[in-house]
Amino acid sequence: MPKLKLELQVNGRKVSREAEPHQRLLDFLRDDLNLTGTKEGCGAGECGTCSVFVDGKLVKSCLMPVAKAAGTSVQTIEGLAAPGDLTPVQKAFHKTGASQCGYCIPGMVMAATSALRENPNAGIEEIKERLGGNICRCTGYTKIFEAVEMARDVIAGEMPAAVLEEDAVGESFIGANVRRLDAPSKVSGRLKYAADMKMPDMLQMQVLRSPHAHARIMSIDTSAAEAMDGVACVITSADVPGKDGFGVFVHDQPTMATGKVRYVGEAVAAVAAEDLLIARRAVAAIKVEYEPLPGIFFAEDARKPGAPVLHDYAPDNLVKHIPIRKGNVEAGFAQADIILEDDFSTQQVEHGYLEPEAGIAYVDADDVVVVISPSQNISHHRHMLAEIIDKPINKVRFIMSPVGGGFGGKEDMIYQGMLAICAMKTHRPVQLNFTREESIIASAKRHPSKVHYKLGLKKDGRITAIEFSMLSDGGAYGMSSEGVMRKAAILSCGPYEVDNLKIDTVAVYTNNTPSGAFRTFGGMQAQFATESMMDMAAEALGMDPFAIRRVNMMKVGSRTHTQQELTTASLDRVLDAAEKASRWESGPPTVRGPARKDMNGPDTRKPCTLGARFETATPGPTEAEKVA
Amino acid sequence: MLTCDTYHMPASLTEALSLWATAPEGSRLVSGGTDILPWAREGRAGDVHLPELIDVTRIPELSGHTIANRRVYLGANTVYQDFLTNPELRKALPCMPYCAIWFADDQIREQATLAGNLVNASPVADGTPAVVALNGEIELARLDNGKVVRRILPVIEFIEGPGKTKIAPHEIVTSVILDAADGYGGSFQKVGLRRSLVISVACCAALVRTDPAGRVFESVRLALGGVGPRPIRLTQVEAALVGQKVSRAVIKDIATQAADAVASRSRQDYRRDVVVNFVRAALEEALANQPGGTVNFQDGEELAHA
Amino acid sequence: MMERKLRGRGIAASWYGIARTATIDRAGAWAEIDDGGTGKIVTGVTEIGEGILTVLAQIAAEEMGIRPEDVTIGDNDTARAPEAAHAGATRQTYMIGNSVALASREARSALFAELADHWGVAVDTLKAFNGEVWAVETNQRVSMKDAVKICKARGVVPVGSASFTAHGTGLDPVDGSGAPWQAYVFGTQVAEVEVDTYTGEVQVLGIWAVHDVGRAINPRGVEGQIEGGVVQGLGQALMEDYQTVDGHTTTHGFAKYILPTSLDIPQINCTIVEDPDPLSPLRAKGIGEPALVPTAPAIMNAIYDAIGVRIKSLPATPEKILQALRERHAANQREIA
């Protein structure tokens, strides 16, 4: 394979290197030039974290074969400002709080810089359009827009540069908008996440994942993979030294599949090799014989008689059932003037953190097994790993690398065990970087839900009884299902004082992608149903939606659904503030949209129609005129 | 992951054609790279190893554009962003800016070529209906006894089905040729699950020209994408509109006729409903975008006579 | 005949519990007031973008009497930091914030004890803020840098440590009774949407989000969490859908799994309510997860207000909305007939 000879300029420096013909510009920048500020969030041109300037045009470097960069001038995030300095755009991102986890931020700063270079007078609609190719999962974009507009105004001299500095201190640091400590390292692209880290002698690991949803593993032949040049080790479940099993609540998940696979994407084996390409080819050379088994793909089927048993310890495929009972629902419904009954469902949701899972493991000079990863719970991971690799707990060390988004998706220890075992076998550092596709199929999702809801109320809006039942597909492994069912049950019937309740939440095992921890842990699925029902009740009773909630709201002294007495409660203040802030026009929710007068206010945005830049259609600035 | 033995960047058309003619089986041409790299990933083609990749984007003859004889000759390396930034192209191709602004995002528009998009022939490609509405043709070149020979096909024939075109072995696209439609109002409608960087569920390109008083349709072009395996040019609907009064009632009626042209394998009802509404919106917006004149909807008169 | 674009508004209320559910929760922290009048905090803090590092720096700075930029927070490393457990359950400001506050107080107490003795004043006359220490109603005032020198010259390193506990109880296995959290928060969101009846597309034009956070340590940070939560809620409401067929996903990448971009987001108007927590030193509660709870139902209620169709199955895709409109139209026709 003849190498490419490349001559180009990167951040003002002449670069003359050889590259593999298949490398993308992204790989060349990150691996060969150690410019790791540019990220691979998805590798398919969808997320924008790989954005760089090539000959002045912003492009997605994950879609650019490196040969195309020959003879060009490339500018990356590292090249925007002089070392130790920050551009106005970068400073504005720092000032407004536009940087949260930081993983999208280099790409976003590049897009913002490009926007202002192309049109120094860009208005908010054009700014939004020019950022449309960059995804952020943490910030909701709002403070990013604020930063771009602030930078625009500072550069144009409409606002003084001092606005980019820290606000003057008041009487206290509590309640102050102190700028984020970690923002400078993020807006400059200097912060190293796990995938950016390099250690001498480091191996690359890749994982063989199950193509079947449910199958017995008849045999695994790793001989061809092991024999390949550059392969340092190949591991399977047989290589786990200690007591296998991990999980947030129940330790039902093996480090690698043992005896059978339970979902598509489950780890079956892993290879550590000199480079990524060899590792991937070695993984493809592992031969696994599977005997497919009948699978369960709908939560409703999991507990039917005769359903396949997915975990021996749970013959009815039940992960967890949480019941809550209060008062007497039959009596409650008997007292009701109206009863509404309906069904709701929510889907499995992907966390979509911009940083795909990644990590490094090594064994240090004191024989401590060290794992560096963006784990959301290193305390618990250390506990579990110590048992899995049969080491005393103080001989296992977890270091949290900067997390490029979590939301609950990085609580599960789905790859750290394999890294540790490869490190122990080779006594070399081993790195694994998930692809986006791998992250999507292997990691947990938000629990889907099917809720059946029965709500009884008096004419004055007071709830007399609620019957709430929720069924969730927990997927192949327990993960956080127990906790999610518990939280969903406790919060289900909303912030309302209800005397008669019957609540049941159930999570079952299936052969689908596992469901696990994800921001609100069941709270939003349950309350989606409740808040929909409340509006339906308001319509039926001719009541304003705020009014019906006030009639029922929890107050100081109320007993919650689990019969806890509240010593504080603020829903009254919150409802009042929401009604006021939104200038809510009272009335029952009887499809008043066409008639109401409280809409289209200055606190709403214009609908997006695309084409904002057509309005300011003048030729763009020359290179010399570009401002950002 | 995409790997290859050799990555070529030929500096002339002859060199490219020569490499392409002798490249081993499995080799591919690379234009912007924005289709092939996402394709070689898990969930789609997986890891792909190809012997040779031949990149056509450094061939000078494939760059730039000329306008002559009421036709716009776009070099095959024309990227989508050019339709937004080049004033000549914006004027001559009135529906293309609206199509381009819906196409992916600024970064990908700098990389993705119109020609590459057409050859990829995705049934949901945004560029295709716009090109078809502009009577698009595609010019292909190959070597015949060492000499470059060319042929031209209408794009609507060139695209045979999803991923299938009439491009012959050893051929390279050299040019896309479109009507210069100065004076028309253009528009583009697209439905997707969100506003940016999204695959179309369905899309529609329209060009409209009225009489100077803005009361009568003089010329109409309408094309649909995403509602079938191939782009659809609504020639009957176009013909029915010529000479008709500009009115919302006429537009609504004609749009309902357009729905009959829908033949899609999936999500039939939704696409059908969307098409009717699209065509209405497309015509109304194209009228509004017509440069220069005012447009006079005649519904007021008609209602008075009802 | 229906207008093409119809608008509507809807609301949803919500509640949430702070820290780990139905169990006792704990977090430990170490603090030191250091040379130069700076501060060191070491705790198992898991910054995942929510801004906890900055919040802890503000808390430590306030308690120690120094500036947030003078605070260094140690890495989250099981071999170097005391356990503060995980990022989740909207627990870090509450559990770790309070633990850091108490540890910082202890370090400051050690420093104050030495300084008070050195100056010959009562320890409760000492105040520290923004890098200076002084004794009220005297002219004794030094920089924190000098205060540390004084303390260390007397042989004392001003360190502190603390463990903070949240007393959740388990739930009864039969009736679920119990006290799963010691702190609760409440929220409400109002949504304004525009529905395109030609295509079924929904754009959310405004969200008014009101959330009780107990006490906002960094209000801009709280807003950032609300804005991020709202957009995640919007994504689930309208466009995100992880799908599998027989266990195999059909949404393998971001081309098929649709996340909200800059063009999809509403103007988000945040109002922070402070109902202080009586059981903790800082009085703060939390916002990370609560921010996301009411968004989807508020949007669905707004869609109903606009076009009279209620979507009960998320996401409310354009297809589902057009289908629902078609069915409603057909039902109306049957009524008329």
Side-chain angles (χ1 to χ4, degrees), chain A residues 128 141 173 397 446 513 564, chain C residues 62 77 184 236 242 260 262:
Chain A
K128 287 182 183 179
Y141 302 95
F173 289 111
R397 178 179 177 191
R446 174 176 285 129
T513 309
Q564 178 182 4
Chain C
E62 187 75 8
D77 178 341
Y184 288 83
Q236 176 159 9
Y242 177 77
S262 60

Side-chain angles (χ1 to χ4, degrees), chain A residues 19-181:
Chain A
E20 298 295 334
H22 68 266
Q23 275 183 293
R24 303 159 301 174
L25 178 59
L26 177 66
D27 306 310
F28 183 72
L29 293 170
R30 289 178 53 80
D31 300 339
D32 290 50
L33 301 183
N34 204 28
L35 292 168
T36 57
T38 310
K39 310 292 184 202
E40 181 163 6
C42 76
E46 297 285 335
C47 74
T49 59
C50 67
S51 303
V52 298
F53 288 104
V54 176
D55 284 342
K57 303 225 188 318
L58 194 71
V59 296
K60 290 184 168 176
S61 65
C62 78
L63 296 182
M64 183 172 273
V66 70
K68 285 178 180 286
T72 67
S73 173
V74 175
Q75 189 182 37
T76 71
I77 183 79
E78 292 91 345
L80 288 185
D85 202 0
L86 294 174
T87 65
V89 170
Q90 289 169 313
K91 287 184 181 170
F93 270 63
H94 183 194
K95 180 61 192 274
T96 67
S99 159
Q100 287 193 22
C101 84
Y103 209 76
C104 80
I105 288 300
M108 198 66 80
V109 167
M110 298 296 272
T113 302
S114 181
L116 294 180
R117 285 180 180 177
E118 292 304 312
N119 184 357
N121 302 311
I124 185 62
E125 297 303 325
E126 188 172 343
I127 289 169
K128 287 182 183 179
E129 270 178 34
R130 291 192 183 268
L131 264 43
N134 287 65
I135 306 231
C136 175
R137 195 52 161 158
C138 294
T139 68
Y141 302 95
T142 303
K143 297 193 183 325
I144 292 174
F145 298 153
E146 202 185 320
V148 184
E149 292 203 280
M150 183 182 279
R152 175 197 67 206
D153 293 344
V154 167
I155 292 169
E158 309 259 323
M159 278 171 89
V163 305
L164 299 173
E165 303 305 317
E166 184 86 85
D167 288 342
V169 61
E171 305 249 305
S172 169
F173 289 111
I174 305 296
N177 288 331
V178 173
R179 293 179 306 176
R180 292 202 185 210
L181 309 182

Side-chain angles (χ1 to χ4, degrees), chain A residues 263-297:
Chain A
Y263 74 104
V264 175
E266 179 168 2
V268 174
V271 173
E274 296 296 334
D275 66 39
L276 179 65
L277 199 46
I278 297 172
R280 282 185 87 82
R281 290 184 172 155
V283 161
I286 299 174
K287 300 192 225 337
V288 184
E289 250 186 84
Y290 293 101
E291 184 190 275
L293 296 167
I296 304 174
F297 302 108

Side-chain angles (χ1 to χ4, degrees), chain C residues 226-308:
Chain C
I226 294 174
E227 288 150 8
V230 162
V231 173
Q232 286 193 1
L234 184 158
Q236 176 159 9
L238 298 177
M239 59 188 78
E240 295 180 42
D241 199 355
Y242 177 77
Q243 296 187 322
T244 55
V245 174
D246 292 337
H248 293 259
T249 186
T250 52
T251 53
H252 52 85
F254 286 162
K256 291 276 171 73
Y257 187 87
I258 306 298
L259 293 165
T261 69
S262 60
L263 293 163
D264 301 305
I265 67 147
Q267 176 154 332
I268 304 173
N269 308 286
C270 299
T271 302
I272 296 173
V273 168
E274 289 180 317
D275 186 33
D277 175 58
L279 298 175
S280 62
L282 286 172
R283 311 266 179 263
K285 290 185 281 192
I287 185 60
E289 292 170 288
L292 169 44
V293 176
T295 313
I299 292 173
M300 294 306 124
N301 289 339
I303 292 172
Y304 185 78
D305 192 47
I307 57 173

Side-chain angles (χ1 to χ4, degrees), chain B residues 140-158:
Chain B
L140 305 139
R142 66 184 165 80
L143 283 177
D144 187 359
N145 281 333
K147 290 200 61 181
V148 177
V149 298
R150 300 168 197 261
R151 65 177 178 131
I152 294 180
L153 284 178
V155 168
I156 202 164
E157 282 178 36
F158 175 71

Side-chain angles (χ1 to χ4, degrees), chain B residues 42-44 102 189-199 201 252 267 269-270 273-274 276-278 280-281 284-285, chain C residues 1 4 196-201 203 238-239 252 254-261 263-264 317-320 322-323 326:
Chain B
E42 299 135 60
R44 294 183 66 190
W102 272 106
Q189 309 292 313
K190 173 168 165 173
V191 168
L193 282 166
R194 67 177 183 207
R195 298 271 99 187
S196 163
L197 187 56
V198 69
I199 298 169
V201 168
K252 184 161 181 249
R267 296 154 86 176
D269 282 341
Y270 174 65
D273 284 348
V274 165
V276 172
N277 294 324
F278 256 3
R280 286 169 70 183
E284 286 175 7
E285 282 175 32
Chain C
M1 195 192 95
R4 175 170 177 181
D196 184 335
T197 58
Y198 280 19
T199 63
E201 287 167 304
Q203 295 199 47
L238 298 177
M239 59 188 78
H252 52 85
F254 286 162
K256 291 276 171 73
Y257 187 87
I258 306 298
L259 293 165
T261 69
L263 293 163
D264 301 305
T317 58
E319 218 172 313
K320 277 187 194 165
L322 273 195
Q323 165 92 6
R326 203 184 305 121

Side-chain angles (χ1 to χ4, degrees), chain C residues 132-282:
Chain C
E132 301 215 317
V133 194
W134 65 96
V136 299
E137 281 162 33
T138 73
N139 56 10
Q140 299 279 42
R141 177 181 284 263
V142 287
S143 68
M144 185 56 78
K145 178 174 169 187
D146 288 338
V148 171
K149 276 195 197 150
I150 292 166
C151 184
K152 287 196 176 180
R154 293 166 59 99
V156 172
V157 179
V159 292
S161 68
S163 168
F164 183 73
T165 310
H167 300 271
T169 74
L171 300 186
D172 181 271
V174 173
D175 70 2
S177 59
W181 301 290
Q182 66 181 38
Y184 288 83
V185 291
F186 297 85
T188 295
Q189 290 181 8
V190 179
E192 185 170 318
V193 304
E194 181 183 86
V195 182
D196 184 335
T197 58
Y198 280 19
T199 63
E201 287 167 304
V202 175
Q203 295 199 47
V204 185
L205 304 178
I207 293 273
W208 295 259
V210 181
H211 289 274
D212 163 29
V213 301
R215 195 164 168 222
I217 312 283
N218 186 316
R220 185 163 275 272
V222 171
E223 285 170 5
Q225 285 295 89
I226 294 174
E227 288 150 8
V230 162
V231 173
Q232 286 193 1
L234 184 158
Q236 176 159 9
L238 298 177
M239 59 188 78
E240 295 180 42
D241 199 355
Y242 177 77
Q243 296 187 322
T244 55
V245 174
D246 292 337
H248 293 259
T249 186
T250 52
T251 53
H252 52 85
F254 286 162
K256 291 276 171 73
Y257 187 87
I258 306 298
L259 293 165
T261 69
S262 60
L263 293 163
D264 301 305
I265 67 147
Q267 176 154 332
I268 304 173
N269 308 286
C270 299
T271 302
I272 296 173
V273 168
E274 289 180 317
D275 186 33
D277 175 58
L279 298 175
S280 62
L282 286 172

